[in-house]
Amino acid sequence: RLSSDCQTVFTCMDDALNFLLRSVITVSFGFAALARISFRVTAAVSLVLAVLVVCTEWYGQVNRRAARQTQDKLAELNRIADEGFGLLHTVRGLDAENIHARMYQAQNSQIYDIQRERGVALGIFNATNGFLTTFVRVVALVLGGVLTMGPQARLSGELLAEYILYLDMVVESALDLADEWSAAMEAFGSAERVVSIAVEPSPPRRGTSKLQHVYGELRFDHVTFAY
């Protein structure tokens, strides 16, 4: 289980961390450039992108919970398989093949339900992102056009075109940042079990003694075995 969790964390964080930092820097400097061109339009755009942040945080939590639950179910699935094949003679001797098959199918069904929930959340997340990225451009064009064609002409056509180009860069980087944040949440969800074991206090050690020169036979009294 620990090996699988660590591998999942490495896979998710190997590339996501680099792209995450790059996207954060791009969005930060891009917003600074947008605010320099037109603070009013940037304030309206920020309100729309705030909805994107909320949606990203929601999907990140769903992804994190799904990753943790999937790792738990996969660990239980591996345990059932190892027990069934490792104790094959015992399983057959107790006629428990059907029990193991039902246990295995039950874990598979739970994993399927978890992934289906994640797929629905991903569909909502992508649909919301697609709508918001189009809507934020519409908001920028409408407000920019009002400021450009108004009686005081607070924004020129050249600056509006420059603003739209910067906005496209910020929006694309924000979408990349949302995807990378979701991948990071997936890694954090997989790492929760590893972290909980790492911070778990060590069990107290009890005194033991080694028997010397033991002879005779070993007997188990009142020991039963049930499957």
Side-chain angles (χ1 to χ4, degrees), residues 30-46 136-137 139-141 143-144 155-170:
F31 258 108
L34 293 177
R36 181 184 60 84
I37 297 173
S38 176
F39 182 79
R40 292 185 177 183
V41 180
T42 304
V45 167
S46 300
V136 74
R137 292 183 175 95
V139 170
L141 284 174
L143 292 180
L155 191 66
S156 65
E158 293 80 5
L159 287 178
L160 179 60
E162 182 182 353
Y163 189 93
I164 296 301
L165 291 176
Y166 276 117
L167 181 62
D168 286 338
M169 179 188 68
V170 170

Side-chain angles (χ1 to χ4, degrees), residues 7-226:
Q7 183 62 37
T8 303
V9 173
F10 174 77
T11 301
C12 294
M13 297 299 294
D14 185 28
D15 295 327
L17 187 59
N18 295 328
F19 289 117
L20 189 68
L21 294 176
R22 185 189 67 179
S23 298
V24 168
I25 294 174
T26 303
V27 170
S28 301
F29 282 96
F31 258 108
L34 293 177
R36 181 184 60 84
I37 297 173
S38 176
F39 182 79
R40 292 185 177 183
V41 180
T42 304
V45 167
S46 300
L47 293 178
V48 179
L49 292 181
V51 181
L52 176 62
V53 173
V54 173
C55 184
T56 301
E57 176 63 21
W58 168 76
Y59 177 66
Q61 294 301 323
V62 172
N63 215 20
R64 182 173 183 171
R65 183 176 65 253
R68 182 180 65 251
Q69 293 175 349
T70 300
Q71 290 297 104
D72 292 340
K73 299 304 178 182
L74 284 175
E76 182 64 17
L77 196 68
N78 291 332
R79 186 194 66 79
I80 294 173
D82 290 341
E83 183 182 273
F85 288 107
L87 303 174
L88 186 59
H89 294 293
T90 304
V91 173
R92 288 181 175 177
L94 296 174
D95 194 22
E97 293 94 334
N98 293 331
I99 296 176
H100 266 274
R102 288 195 297 269
M103 292 170 61
Y104 197 85
Q105 291 174 359
Q107 294 298 320
N108 275 327
S109 298
Q110 293 178 13
I111 293 175
Y112 171 76
D113 293 337
I114 295 170
Q115 296 304 315
R116 183 178 60 184
E117 179 184 354
R118 177 190 283 181
V120 172
L122 178 60
I124 297 174
F125 175 68
N126 288 334
T128 305
N129 285 355
F131 170 76
L132 290 177
T133 52
T134 303
F135 184 67
V136 74
R137 292 183 175 95
V138 172
V139 170
L141 284 174
V142 171
L143 292 180
V146 170
L147 294 177
T148 301
M149 295 183 296
Q152 297 180 357
R154 299 177 180 177
L155 191 66
S156 65
E158 293 80 5
L159 287 178
L160 179 60
E162 182 182 353
Y163 189 93
I164 296 301
L165 291 176
Y166 276 117
L167 181 62
D168 286 338
M169 179 188 68
V170 170
V171 168
E172 293 300 326
S173 297
L175 291 178
D176 293 338
L177 182 60
D179 293 336
E180 291 143 13
W181 179 256
S182 301
M185 287 296 102
E186 180 180 355
F188 292 154
S190 300
E192 285 184 359
R193 181 57 178 165
V194 179
V195 174
S196 64
I197 292 177
V199 300
E200 207 172 64
S202 301
R205 295 184 179 181
R206 298 179 179 178
T208 59
S209 59
K210 183 178 181 181
L211 300 179
Q212 301 291 337
H213 308 294
V214 179
Y215 300 98
E217 60 182 16
L218 182 65
R219 294 181 57 187
F220 294 92
D221 292 334
H222 305 291
V223 176
T224 59
F225 177 80

